Amino acid sequence: MADWMLIAMVFGWFVNVARERRGIIERSPVNAAVFLIVIYSVVNLIRGYTFMALPADINLTRLMAWKNYMILPLMYFITMNNLRDEKNIKLLIVCICLAMLAMDFNFYSTFRWIKAEHYSNDIRISGPFSFLGPNELGVFYSMYTFLLIGISYFMQDKKIKWLILFVSACNLYPILFSYSRAAYICMIAGLFLLGMIKDRKLLLLLVVLIIGYSYILPNSVVERIDSTFLGKATVIEESVTSNAIGIGGVSVDTVGRKELWDKAKIYFKDHLFIGIGFDTFRHVEGMITHSLYMKILAEQGLMGMLVFIIFIFVILRQGFILYLYAENSLYKGIGLGFFLCVSVHLVGSITGDQSLYYNLMLIYWVFMGIVAHLSSQLMVKRQS
């Protein structure tokens, strides 16, 4: 069904191009970065097939994963070249808000039956993402909550603005009760960045939260946060399974990630330049790396990391330029919101990897297309 919808959107795109007699792809610096991602992913896919002989069903699974990943660049180009006016952009924002409200209700309707006076792994749920984990859920909500908050600062339509603020407030429920420490760090990073760029009052709020979180947050959430930092006795016990790493003299629980990161480092050292190939680590090791950066180093090598850095630099720059120089207030908000969204995702990717899941990353790539179009139009105006 999803494939047919994509085909229909591509068909509509070409119909619009023929009717309006314009180019198929609008010019933008983001295009080159996206093409670079696509081309290197093809090279990396081929590298995966040549790295190790795996069963045919695994090779097919890897090819399907790559195909699903390519949905994201396709949606970027569809959005950039078709979603071109303020009215439709507002409609998209409203649709995203309504969809997130439905997701919030889904999470609430499930979690409200769980006894959550104290934290345990058994009370964690994935809400609407039945095939993913609570960490992915928490980072998803963190990313798009800051996308919406950034837009809200410049949304002049009062009804939409209050809808955005209401949805952002509702999103705090699944963020808190995802019990995802990655999501909590994302929220801290997002508040800090937004406070530095736009609203200094948020820095005071952040200080209050950090100092008084044990009095403000629910008890089970506090227990989850406190379990990150292990006491000396626990450190000795946990060190047997290597689940704790030392940071500044403090041991931090990483829930088994250290072993996976060590394996990723070995693959990186042995295959320095191009890695072991697209989606190979999880099929060889039976687990994902639990870090986007470790995944890139292991599977794509230095070349892949360079491509990623170029990609991130370009899209962050375009978002920030749009925020600084757009004359339209909505477009300024989109620039700010997208900049925050990308930044929060980068923080969440330290201990997670959401990049291949199009159901998590679709909004990200759609707004990348919007930002690319708006910033391209802005540069044309400034040059004329």
Side-chain angles (χ1 to χ4, degrees), residues 327 376-384:
E327 297 176 359
S376 178
Q377 294 298 308
L378 178 63
M379 284 188 286
V380 170
K381 288 182 179 180
R382 293 184 69 192
Q383 291 172 358
S384 61

Side-chain angles (χ1 to χ4, degrees), residues 41-72:
S41 74
V42 174
V43 174
N44 204 230
L45 179 66
I46 296 171
R47 167 59 176 164
Y49 286 126
T50 60
F51 170 72
M52 179 182 292
L54 294 172
D57 58 334
I58 291 180
N59 286 331
L60 181 60
T61 300
R62 179 161 49 186
L63 181 61
M64 292 175 62
W66 179 83
K67 187 269 291 183
N68 289 337
Y69 178 46
M70 289 300 100
I71 290 174
L72 298 173

Side-chain angles (χ1 to χ4, degrees), residues 40 44 47 51 267-268 271-277 296-302:
Y40 193 75
N44 204 230
R47 167 59 176 164
F51 170 72
Y267 285 122
F268 171 61
H271 309 277
L272 192 64
F273 292 103
I274 59 172
I276 60 176
I296 292 173
L297 289 173
E299 295 187 345
Q300 302 179 31
L302 287 175

Side-chain angles (χ1 to χ4, degrees), residues 69-81:
Y69 178 46
M70 289 300 100
I71 290 174
L72 298 173
L74 178 59
M75 285 302 302
Y76 159 79
F77 284 112
I78 290 173
T79 304
M80 181 198 181
N81 293 280

